[in-house]
Amino acid sequence: MLAGKHILLIIGGGIAAFKSLDLIRRLRERGAEVTPVLTRAGTEFVTPLSVSALAGKKVFQDLFDLGDEAEMGHIQLSRVADLLVVAPATADLMAKMAQGHANDLASTLLLATDTPVMIAPAMNVRMWDHPATQRNLDLLKSDGIAVVGPNEGDMACGEFGPGRMAEPLEIVAAIEAKLADGPLKGKRALVTSGPTHEPIDPVRYIANRSSGAQGSAIGAALAALGAEVIFVTGPADVPPPEGVTVIKVETAKQMLEAVQDALPVDAGVFAAAVADWRVDGASDRKLKKSKDGLPSLSFAENPDILKTVSQMTKGRPPLMVGFAAETNDVVDHATAKRNRKGCDWIVANDVSPGTGIMGGTENAVTLITDAGAESWPRMGKDEVARKLAARIADAVLG
Ligand code: CTP
């Protein structure tokens, strides 16, 4: 619920602006007050009248409007809200924000504010992929701006790829998580999840049976406690949780890079089933059958992400939690793994085929910490996640 919360919603000029009308409705349904700001380009896609009718209040448009300034000056306007949300955040608006421009009402509000800001980018896939936009995105993230989406899919311009604005309900969930008054509010947590895919050639890969269910549940449980969650996921079966920043990767090497980019965090939970090996010299062409015999694959070792981050001398997250998937002597192997990798906790589980845990909905784990091994009864993965998130909150808040 968002009762009593005040959102300043900046609507940029993109085709996705029509979804912002629904966003206003959804926010107000949940009790939020929405003050809308429409950029000049935004008025090309939605009318001030429809925005103001849905928000139930006037829409601010012009930096130099004497009437508006007399009613509520732009500096004050930028600070009355609990959160500034930019949806859609166009490539141009992101560039202005990253560079600190203040040449219209929206950019001035964004520069004059000391309130948290969230953006929901929306643009053509090439604009999104452009190094300039990606550079701006990195700058905005390092300025502490929360980013929701974009999603991948068919776009209004007829192309396909990342660039579609997140759906209104996803943005609402992200806003709720951001404004949640849980114990982890103001803390950042990183979660890795899912399997990795290691290419053999452009059409084949080596993978494992991880569904991503436990990682998604942990991401959701940490967000529900108010943490800002950066969720780095391989190609999982289970969708990522709502209200978190999702970074999709395929390979172990990409996962390590995404994890390093996400630091600093207060806690890292490494639930991904990372492939230990990749195919050395994966072919950039499809391997063909040949009468000379079967192809042979040779392997190279992948980086150990948990170990690399646990052993960082500078910027190591204060709490590092790893998982240990074992099929025998679970506690012994997991305890040795904790020491070898240098993480603080290990959540050990028995993934022997008979347990139905890998790919299933339940988990039976043993939490290994400095204090020893603590076995939890078999329970749903959601419940394991909530229990673990509560323990993480205790540890992080010390
Ligand atoms: N892990 C990682 N990077 C890797 C391999 C594993 O970050 N390249 C992390 C996993 O996310 C998990 C922990 O390390 O938190 C243990 O993973 P697991 O597969 O159980 O252990 P391995 O290191 O692969 O050891 P082994 O296969 O020998 O049991």
Side-chain angles (χ1 to χ4, degrees):
M1 285 304 280
L2 291 167
K5 300 292 183 195
H6 186 167
I7 311 288
L8 186 86
L9 175 66
I10 295 173
I11 304 175
I15 187 72
F18 78 94
K19 289 196 204 170
S20 302
L21 298 177
D22 191 34
L23 176 62
I24 297 175
R25 200 167 63 83
R26 304 286 187 175
L27 289 169
R28 291 194 66 207
E29 265 170 15
R30 285 160 178 75
E33 176 184 348
V34 181
T35 299
V37 174
L38 192 56
T39 65
R40 187 184 298 278
T43 59
E44 301 289 341
F45 297 90
V46 289
T47 70
L49 188 62
S50 40
V51 173
S52 133
L54 283 163
K57 45 160 77 180
K58 77 171 284 168
V59 49
F60 291 84
Q61 289 178 264
D62 192 355
L63 184 56
F64 302 111
D65 185 307
L66 279 181
D68 285 359
E69 278 297 300
E71 198 177 308
M72 189 189 303
H74 63 267
I75 300 292
Q76 194 194 347
L77 183 60
S78 75
R79 302 200 185 148
V80 289
D82 297 295
L83 182 68
L84 267 63
V85 176
V86 188
T90 58
D92 182 57
L93 258 172
M94 285 175 61
K96 279 182 177 169
M97 291 172 73
Q99 298 306 320
H101 288 220
N103 56 3
D104 59 10
L105 181 60
S107 53
T108 304
L109 293 175
L110 286 159
L111 195 64
T113 196
D114 51 7
T115 304
V117 177
M118 176 181 290
I119 61 171
M123 66 198 71
N124 165 273
V125 54
R126 305 256 176 279
M127 292 170 82
W128 175 252
D129 284 340
H130 196 284
T133 303
Q134 290 302 312
R135 219 166 32 237
N136 291 333
L137 179 69
D138 288 344
L139 282 173
L140 294 173
K141 282 187 182 165
S142 61
D143 285 348
I145 289 176
V147 183
V148 48
N151 293 343
E152 193 173 278
D154 287 321
M155 310 196 63
C157 53
E159 292 188 61
F160 180 90
R164 274 168 71 106
M165 188 168 89
E167 294 305 318
L169 284 179
E170 292 174 74
I171 302 175
V172 169
I175 294 172
E176 281 177 334
K178 180 93 189 160
L179 295 179
D181 291 324
L184 286 177
K185 189 173 164 60
K187 301 288 179 191
R188 266 165 74 87
L190 164 76
V191 178
T192 71
S193 184
T196 61
H197 284 184
E198 306 296 334
I200 296 171
D201 66 17
V203 296
R204 304 180 178 95
Y205 56 82
I206 292 174
N208 61 63
R209 292 184 197 281
S210 166
S211 64
Q214 189 62 80
S216 273
I218 292 167
L222 289 166
L225 293 184
E228 177 191 351
V229 177
I230 299 94
F231 189 77
V232 179
T233 177
D237 300 336
V238 171
E242 296 197 341
V244 304
T245 301
V246 180
I247 299 166
K248 290 187 178 169
V249 297
E250 291 228 336
T251 65
K253 277 169 127 184
Q254 291 166 353
M255 188 172 274
L256 174 62
E257 261 176 48
V259 162
Q260 284 167 331
D261 285 352
L263 301 178
V265 295
D266 298 287
V269 183
F270 291 70
V274 185
D276 292 321
W277 313 284
R278 64 178 177 279
V279 174
D280 197 14
S283 170
D284 54 8
R285 291 186 176 186
K286 186 180 169 203
L287 297 179
K288 304 296 281 179
K289 282 198 283 289
S290 138
K291 50 183 179 323
D292 302 335
L294 298 173
S296 64
L297 299 177
S298 59
F299 291 93
E301 195 165 340
N302 266 334
D304 188 319
I305 304 168
L306 175 65
K307 186 172 172 185
T308 307
V309 179
S310 293
Q311 298 185 359
M312 281 170 50
T313 45
K314 252 173 69 187
R316 178 196 192 272
L319 179 65
M320 288 289 295
V321 183
F323 274 70
E326 309 291 347
T327 52
N328 57 292
D329 303 314
V330 176
V331 171
D332 286 352
H333 281 315
T335 305
K337 204 170 270 183
R338 173 173 174 263
N339 296 334
R340 200 165 61 238
K341 302 210 182 199
C343 56
D344 302 298
W345 299 353
I346 280 262
V347 182
N349 57 2
D350 184 346
V351 292
S352 322
T355 63
I357 283 174
M358 200 119 178
T361 56
E362 291 193 329
N363 209 349
V365 306
T366 302
L367 179 66
I368 296 166
T369 68
D370 249 350
E374 178 189 318
S375 287
W376 295 357
R378 188 170 172 130
M379 55 181 104
K381 287 185 176 172
D382 285 352
E383 218 178 324
V384 171
R386 282 194 292 273
K387 208 166 146 134
L388 184 65
R391 292 290 286 267
I392 290 171
D394 280 351
V396 164
L397 301 168

